[in-house]
Amino acid sequence: MAVKVKSKSGKTVTLLNPSEKGSKYARELKENYKRTNALSFKLDKDGKGMKLTDVERAYRSGYLDAQKDSAKCYNAAKRKK
């Protein structure tokens, strides 16, 4: 469940748990546009949506792969018991 908190400067920040972060990254990879943690599009100076760079796509893809690997390890350990 996303949590909204206020920073020391008074700005409201949305914090995501790992599952929500993975969902956000999957959505960004599918659409090829950056989103905020509140799931609205990130805009550049001209008001256009910001596209993901190759490096950002690779990071998000790696994060999702790591989540899958972790889930596989958890399920394998659970089956051993």
Side-chain angles (χ1 to χ4, degrees):
M1 176 73 108
V3 177
K4 293 186 184 217
V5 296
K6 280 199 173 195
S7 65
K8 290 182 181 180
S9 64
K11 185 176 179 182
T12 302
V13 180
T14 304
L15 302 176
L16 302 177
N17 65 33
S19 174
E20 292 169 328
K21 189 174 178 181
S23 297
K24 175 188 170 224
Y25 283 175
R27 189 172 185 177
E28 287 179 335
L29 285 171
K30 186 176 181 181
E31 297 171 344
N32 200 31
Y33 282 98
K34 295 180 187 179
R35 289 187 168 265
T36 63
N37 283 350
L39 298 180
S40 60
F41 287 104
K42 286 191 178 183
L43 305 175
D44 61 9
K45 295 175 188 173
D46 300 326
K48 296 181 183 177
M50 297 173 68
K51 289 196 172 202
L52 293 173
T53 64
D54 289 341
V55 173
E56 291 166 336
R57 288 185 65 81
Y59 177 83
R60 284 157 175 75
S61 178
Y63 185 89
L64 293 175
D65 285 342
Q67 271 193 327
K68 288 177 194 173
D69 290 345
S70 179
K72 286 179 185 177
C73 289
Y74 173 80
N75 289 332
K78 195 173 173 184
R79 279 189 298 252
K80 282 186 178 180
K81 287 185 179 181

